[in-house]
């Protein structure tokens, strides 16, 4: 793949990640913590994939943020400090998409807290984002 084409693909992943980030905010405005958490997971997944693609990673079907982080730390070991965030936010995907055995207890405050840490994470991957 040409360097230019790869650059366009990376920008497209980031564009969609930004779109999901805006969706998080809209869902928080509506008081829907589960949907906000889902879109937070989606946004971080796409940012991670853009970061990995930028470093020559071969795209694969994977959604767990902590697994993507395993690959990302090979390129930037400092990203390891976001492991707990990735583990927690990975679970938000399931809270929104599958019927719970017990109520999630997820709140908008939880998502807002994670968004602050997620902003740091995104800036660690892409200085000019967010």
């Amino acid at each position: 793949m040409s360097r230019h084409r790869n650059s366009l693909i990376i920008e497209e992943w980031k564009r969609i990640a930004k779109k999901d980030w805006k969706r998080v905010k809209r869902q928080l405005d509506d008081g829907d913590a589960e949907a906000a958490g889902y879109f937070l997971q989606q946004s971080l997944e796409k940012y991670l994939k853009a970061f990995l693609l930028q470093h020559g990673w071969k795209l694969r079907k994977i959604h767990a943020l902590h697994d993507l982080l395993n690959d990302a730390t090979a390129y930037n070991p400092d990203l390891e400090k976001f492991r707990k965030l990735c583990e927690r936010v990975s679970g938000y995907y399931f809270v929104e998409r599958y019927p719970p055995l017990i109520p999630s207890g997820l709140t908008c405050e939880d998502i807002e807290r994670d968004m602050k840490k997620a902003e740091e994470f995104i800036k660690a991957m892409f200085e000019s984002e967010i």
Side-chain angles (χ1 to χ4, degrees):
M1 180 181 322
S2 76
R3 184 180 203 84
H4 176 71
R5 177 157 163 67
N6 191 44
S7 178
L8 292 175
I9 290 170
I10 292 163
E11 290 305 312
E12 187 63 10
W13 278 95
K14 288 168 43 178
R15 183 188 69 76
I16 297 169
K18 288 177 199 173
K19 189 174 181 180
D20 284 340
W21 185 264
K22 290 176 184 174
R23 289 174 174 153
V24 175
K25 292 179 179 182
R26 282 197 304 271
Q27 295 305 318
L28 286 173
D29 287 346
D30 288 344
D32 190 341
E34 290 84 5
Y38 170 78
F39 284 114
L40 179 57
Q41 185 279 336
Q42 290 290 289
S43 180
L44 291 181
E45 178 183 334
K46 291 167 182 131
Y47 273 121
L48 269 164
K49 287 181 177 178
F51 174 81
L52 289 164
L53 288 165
Q54 178 176 290
H55 288 88
W57 182 77
K58 185 175 173 13
L59 185 62
R60 56 191 173 108
K61 191 174 183 179
I62 182 173
H63 305 288
L65 299 180
H66 49 282
D67 289 338
L68 289 165
L69 184 64
N70 290 340
D71 292 344
T73 57
Y75 303 108
N76 181 348
D78 292 339
L79 296 177
E80 181 62 37
K81 68 184 174 188
F82 298 102
R83 179 148 318 266
K84 287 186 181 181
L85 172 72
C86 288
E87 290 171 348
R88 190 171 48 253
V89 174
S90 279
Y92 296 167
Y93 177 87
F94 298 102
V95 168
E96 174 62 13
R97 294 295 172 220
Y98 297 96
L101 298 175
I102 57 171
S104 74
L106 189 61
T107 66
C108 289
E109 290 77 20
D110 294 329
I111 303 303
E112 289 168 350
R113 177 200 65 227
D114 286 339
M115 283 184 76
K116 287 181 180 142
K117 191 70 173 174
E119 284 178 357
E120 293 175 39
F121 184 34
I122 294 163
K123 286 191 180 293
M125 290 184 284
F126 302 101
E127 288 184 25
S128 62
E129 290 297 307
I130 300 288

